[in-house]
Structure formats: C-alpha cells, structure tokens
Amino acid sequence: MKSGDGIWDDGQWSATTQVVLVVLAWTGLVAVAVCLFRTLWEYLVRGVDGVWQGLEPWDTGMVAPRPPGTRGAAPAHPAYWWRQSWRDAASAGGNGMRSLWHPFVHPWLDEFVWNLVHGRYPRGRRPAMPLSRFLLATLIGPGTALGALIGAVLATVLLGWGLLVFAVLLGLVWLGWAASVPLLRGVDRCWVLLRGIRPACPHPGCYAPIPLALHRCDGCGSRHAQLRPGRFGALWHVCRCGVRLPATRLTGRNRLSTLCPRCEDSLPQALATTRVVHAPVLGGTSSGKTMLVAAVVEGLHGWAREGELRVAYASDLGQVAQNAVNRQLERTGWAHATTGGPPRALMLVVSRGLRRRLLYLYDPMGESVSDAGRARTQSYLAHADGVVLLVDVLADPTVRRRLGPADTERAEQARPSLQGPRETYERVTGELAALSGRRPRLPVAAVVTKRDVLDQLTSLPVPGARIDHWLGDIGLGALVRSLGHDFRAARYWSVSAHAATGTGPLMSEQRRAAEPVLWLLAASGLRTGPLTGSAGRGAGRLPRAAAAGGSDDGDGDGR
C-alpha cells in the first residue's frame, strides 16, 4: 500500500500491532499481578470469613437468627442435623459468595479502578505530572480492573469447590445421623424382644398395650409422645424449655417419669425395663380371691425375708391399697368384697438372682365373670401370661350333694361362691381365648380355696398330695380334664388364705399360697421353680387352731 494515498503500509500496521500487543501484554501482566498478589487472596479471605460468620453464633447463650422449630407432635426442637444443618450450610455458602463479590464492587471497581482510569492513585490522590495521570489511566487502570475481575472469578471457583467438599462431608454426616436413627430404634426393639417386655397399662378400664409411653420433662413437665430416635434427635431430645432428655434406653430414658399414652395415668418406672407377667386371679363371687391375693403377697414377702427373693411394690398406690387390706384382715379376719368396676393391677417387682419380673396381679369382681358378656369386657385378659383359677368346691352342686347335714352347715357358714367352679371356668375360658388368642399356650394354676373348712368336713376325703386326683374323687374330674386340654400346663394347689393372713398367720401357709404365682413366674423364665415344691401337692391337714379359725372367704360378706 502507498502511504501517499492515506493508507498504511505493512510497516505501519506492524508497528501499531506491536504497540497494541505491548499494551495488552502489560495490561495482562498488571492483571496477573493484581490477581495473584492481592485480589484472589483478599476475596478468598472475605468469602471464607463470610461462610464462618454465616455459621455463627459460636458462643453459648447467644441467640441464633433461626426458627425455633417446636411445631409438631412433640414439644421439642427438631434435631440440628434433621434440616437446620442444611439451612445453615446454604445460608453460610450464600453469605460467603456475597462477601466474596462485595469487595469487587467496593472498593475495587467503584473506588480503585475508578480513580485509576481518571488518572488518580487508587486512594484518590491526583498526580502532579500529566504523564503520570496518562500512564495510570491507560496502563494501570485496565489491568487493575481485569485483575480484580479475574481474582473474583477464581476465588468464586475455589470457594465453590470448597463449599462442594463441605456439602459432601455434611451429607456424609447427615447420612450417618440418619442411619443411626433406625439402628438405635432397632437396638431398642431387639432389647425389648429379647427380654420379652410387653408393657401394658395397669389402670382400670385402660389396659392398653404401650409400645412407647408418654415421658414427662423434668424441667417443665411437658409430655413427650415421641421420645425415641427420630427427627427430634438420635440420642437426645431438647425440650422447648431447654432441658435435654435421653431418647434411648442406652442414654437413660427409663429414668424419666412416664404416663400411659391412652389414659395418661402414671406408670411404674420398672415397666420400661422389666418383663411383665400378667396373672389374673379368676373366680366367682365369694370364692376367696381378695384374701388369696393378700396371702400371695404375704407369701412372697415371706420368701423375701428368707433371702430367696427380692420383692418390692412397683407403685405407692398398690402398697397403700394392700396395707389397707392387711389392716382389715387383722381387725376382722376377712377382706371386703372387690368392688368398683375393672380391677387395678397390683404391681410387684419380684427378683431372684439377676432376673426380675414385674408381676401384675388382677383381682376382678366375682360378678365380672358371672356371664360371658361381662367377661368379654375384661380386656386385661388379652395380656394374660397365666391364670390363677380359684376352685371353690363347696359351690359345686355335685359336691354339695355328697355332704352330710353337719358338713352342709359348715359349708354354708363358709359362704360358698354363687356359681360353681365349672360354671366359672366355662364362662371365662371362651372369652379368654377370644381376647388373648393364646389360650393353648397359657399355664393355669388351679387353687382349691377354703382348705381350712375342707379339713373339717367328714363327708369328703382330705386333699392329698395330688389335688387333681382329689378333685376327680369328689366329682370334678371333668374340670380337671378341661384344664389339661385347654391350657399348655395345669398345676393344682389347695390353700387356706385365712390361715396365711390376719393375726397369727402360718408362715408355711403363706409360702404355700405364693406357690401358684411363683410357678407362673417360673414359666416366664424367673428361676422360682425350686420354691414351688412338688407340683400339685396338698399340705395335709392344717394345725387344729388354724383349721378352726374359719374360711378364707375374701369376696363375700363375712367369714
């Protein structure tokens, strides 16, 4: 090209290109220097500091600007790892990115770069020489702007990778926490299954199975219905009042006071850790159930005094009620009839060696088994682990027909039950099968009551070592055969609860009265079998003074 025509030749183009390349190279050099030696690290520091501040507060007692999260089925804060950890991570990451880009805008763009492109030093001071102002505007300002931008982009990438790694680690922690919830629940469940624990409410009219009780907070009294590993915490829950509550048996949940989730009445502390043995004492009105229960309790305490057992009341209410029965027996020699609707279980913790059981003794009204309709309402029978069936032979018509005039008078004074033992059994056994569905697997302890009166009768043979054979001899063989057919195991005793209670009780008769219950406890795995003596044994005649004392009627109006 000719220079005279106003067109640049190749040399001019080459010189211009070189100047442009030099300027660009200089700008790039300035940008690299600004990025590597200033902006990249400044932005990273600002971003990391922003993430750190987004995770505050770190000091105990400071209020965090986060939702309390007490809504839901339990008055507790959701576990931090449930959702709040992700909210905090997202909040901290966003705060870090904002903190990183904030210095790019101010002070770098709107102060440093603005001053440089206008011929000033970064802090705003104006150079005296025009050449300095020109060089700052052309050679330093663009490179600084480019270095600030590159530093922000690189810092964003590096911080993003760091946040991604943090999110992966947080996800692993969350997965570990989430996996611990079913694991801890499974441990609790396996522990319950291995120990055979089937908690049930002992209160009248409820008797509901309790897979998880209501737990009361020691601080504010709030009732926690989901105190187990879950979204409120794996090992601990934090109540809305700030008290930390153990959520598993491993951390001590069983030390908290508990309530039935259905009727909201208090439960014994041993219920959560001890296998329950439900033992209803069934018999007709005036068959001697209340006095037998009193004799059983005294017999268990008698074995405890000899060091063979450890016995304790599981609730103060049961101890108060039993003390009232004992005072009545000491004053009058007989106990009031059971009244007041469905029975409240008398709860005793019975221990032998390293094993223990929570014994529920039910003493229902005789009227509750007088017909199938009433027996059907006795829902505690659904939990029965064994049955104590009272056999008042004096109420059986076949036996009564065998008595002579003198024996008939003695039998009337003993106030026999209004219904015979076979009638009681027939009305109860069907409903027991329908309620529990486990009747063929249940043991039954058949207890012939009022033995002190039976020993005075001359029309009947004396109960011997085999009570089942004796029952067959007096005309109740059908009942013995039915018990043997309908239950897993049947054992027989003959007991005088009158001789085992009241003033001057016989220690041997107390221990014998406890044998049927000890046998049922042995069937549950408690090592009380050696205390039950020979199965089905009679005890021979009572001492004359005890035999003359009267009957063991505890559900009638007198002796």
Side-chain angles (χ1 to χ4, degrees):
M1 294 183 182
K2 298 181 179 179
S3 61
D5 295 335
I7 301 177
W8 290 359
D9 56 16
D10 292 341
Q12 291 173 324
W13 275 106
S14 176
T16 302
T17 302
Q18 291 176 0
V19 171
V20 172
L21 291 176
V22 169
V23 172
L24 291 178
W26 177 258
T27 300
L29 182 62
V30 172
V32 171
V34 170
C35 173
L36 294 180
F37 295 102
R38 181 65 186 274
T39 57
L40 174 61
W41 312 112
E42 180 180 341
Y43 294 158
L44 278 178
V45 170
R46 291 290 188 90
V48 173
D49 184 66
V51 172
W52 187 261
Q53 291 180 1
L55 296 175
E56 289 182 349
W58 298 100
D59 298 331
T60 303
M62 296 183 64
V63 178
R66 302 166 187 162
T70 56
R71 296 175 297 175
H77 297 275
Y80 178 77
W81 300 109
W82 173 247
R83 289 180 180 174
Q84 191 61 45
S85 59
W86 293 105
R87 293 173 180 170
D88 286 351
S91 175
N95 190 63
M97 289 298 180
R98 289 190 297 270
S99 299
L100 186 152
W101 282 94
H102 180 74
F104 171 73
V105 177
H106 178 82
W108 282 95
L109 287 185
D110 60 2
E111 182 179 350
F112 296 163
V113 175
W114 174 267
N115 288 331
L116 288 171
V117 298
H118 285 81
R120 297 183 178 90
Y121 290 114
R123 297 298 181 182
R125 188 169 61 86
R126 185 181 182 84
M129 297 178 62
L131 179 60
S132 299
R133 294 195 293 271
F134 175 76
L135 293 175
L136 288 173
T138 57
L139 298 180
I140 305 299
T144 302
L146 183 60
L149 177 60
I150 295 174
V153 172
L154 290 178
T156 300
V157 173
L158 293 176
L159 184 61
W161 276 105
L163 292 176
L164 180 61
V165 172
F166 176 76
V168 171
L169 294 177
L170 178 60
L172 293 176
V173 173
W174 186 90
L175 287 175
W177 174 85
S180 71
V181 170
L183 178 63
L184 291 172
R185 285 193 182 187
V187 169
D188 267 3
R189 182 61 179 166
C190 289
W191 187 86
V192 168
L193 292 177
L194 289 175
R195 297 180 66 90
I197 297 176
R198 297 183 297 108
C201 180
H203 297 290
C206 183
Y207 313 121
I210 304 175
L212 183 64
L214 289 174
H215 292 79
R216 194 193 303 272
C217 174
D218 294 334
C220 64
S222 298
R223 299 176 179 183
H224 294 254
Q226 297 184 10
L227 194 59
R228 59 180 178 177
R231 63 191 182 98
F232 296 102
L235 293 175
W236 307 87
H237 289 191
V238 178
C239 182
R240 60 187 174 188
C241 69
V243 174
R244 193 173 69 163
L245 304 175
T248 67
R249 288 179 171 85
L250 298 175
T251 52
R253 183 180 62 191
N254 56 293
R255 292 193 295 267
L256 299 176
S257 59
T258 55
L259 305 172
C260 173
R262 179 179 175 183
C263 66
E264 298 189 358
D265 283 334
S266 61
L267 299 173
Q269 190 174 26
L271 185 65
T273 58
T274 309
R275 179 174 177 178
V276 181
V277 176
H278 301 266
V281 181
L282 304 179
T285 304
S286 189
S287 61
K289 297 187 304 298
T290 301
M291 290 191 68
L292 179 64
V293 170
V296 167
V297 174
E298 291 301 318
L300 293 175
H301 284 288
W303 283 114
R305 286 189 292 269
E306 294 186 6
E308 297 290 346
L309 295 174
R310 296 187 303 278
V311 181
Y313 287 97
S315 69
D316 295 336
L317 189 61
Q319 184 173 6
V320 170
Q322 198 60 31
N323 290 340
V325 172
N326 291 337
R327 288 193 296 269
Q328 174 70 18
L329 289 171
E330 291 174 358
R331 287 196 306 267
T332 64
W334 54 273
H336 290 298
T338 304
T339 58
R344 182 187 304 274
L346 175 63
M347 296 174 287
L348 297 170
V349 179
V350 183
S351 306
R352 181 173 170 83
L354 298 179
R355 300 183 181 184
R356 69 174 186 170
R357 296 291 184 266
L358 178 57
L359 175 63
Y360 278 22
L361 281 175
Y362 298 94
D363 178 18
M365 296 186 300
E367 293 82 0
S368 63
V369 294
S370 60
D371 60 72
R374 291 185 178 182
R376 193 175 300 118
T377 64
Q378 309 302 305
S379 56
Y380 56 88
L381 295 176
H383 309 297
D385 294 285
V387 176
V388 179
L389 180 66
L390 270 64
V391 180
D392 185 2
V393 298
L394 299 179
D396 185 77
T398 303
V399 175
R400 294 292 295 273
R401 285 195 294 268
R402 298 183 57 175
L403 300 180
D407 287 344
T408 300
E409 182 179 357
R410 293 190 184 96
E412 290 295 335
Q413 292 175 353
R415 297 184 181 275
S417 176
L418 299 180
Q419 60 187 43
R422 286 182 293 189
E423 184 181 2
T424 300
Y425 172 73
E426 291 170 357
R427 291 176 177 175
V428 170
T429 183
E431 301 308 321
L432 179 62
L435 288 170
S436 69
R438 305 182 305 119
R439 181 167 56 95
R441 298 191 288 116
L442 294 181
V444 58
V447 180
V448 175
T449 58
K450 306 178 182 178
R451 188 170 58 84
D452 51 321
V453 176
L454 295 176
D455 282 347
Q456 302 177 49
L457 302 181
T458 59
S459 304
L460 298 178
V462 176
R466 294 296 302 269
I467 302 299
D468 50 346
H469 292 176
W470 176 79
L471 289 173
D473 293 340
I474 64 174
L476 292 176
L479 175 62
V480 174
R481 290 189 294 273
S482 297
L483 292 176
H485 176 269
D486 293 336
F487 288 87
R488 181 186 70 188
R491 298 287 177 88
Y492 300 83
W493 282 265
S494 179
V495 173
S496 172
H498 184 274
T501 58
T503 304
L506 295 177
M507 299 297 294
S508 60
E509 197 65 17
Q510 288 182 343
R511 291 192 294 270
R512 185 175 299 108
E515 286 183 8
V517 172
L518 290 173
W519 179 68
L520 294 180
L521 290 172
S524 73
L526 191 65
R527 296 173 179 173
T528 54
L531 306 182
T532 61
S534 58
R537 71 179 183 184
R541 290 183 178 270
L542 290 176
R544 184 176 302 276
S551 75
D552 56 341
D553 176 14
D555 292 317
D557 300 326
R559 296 175 55 178

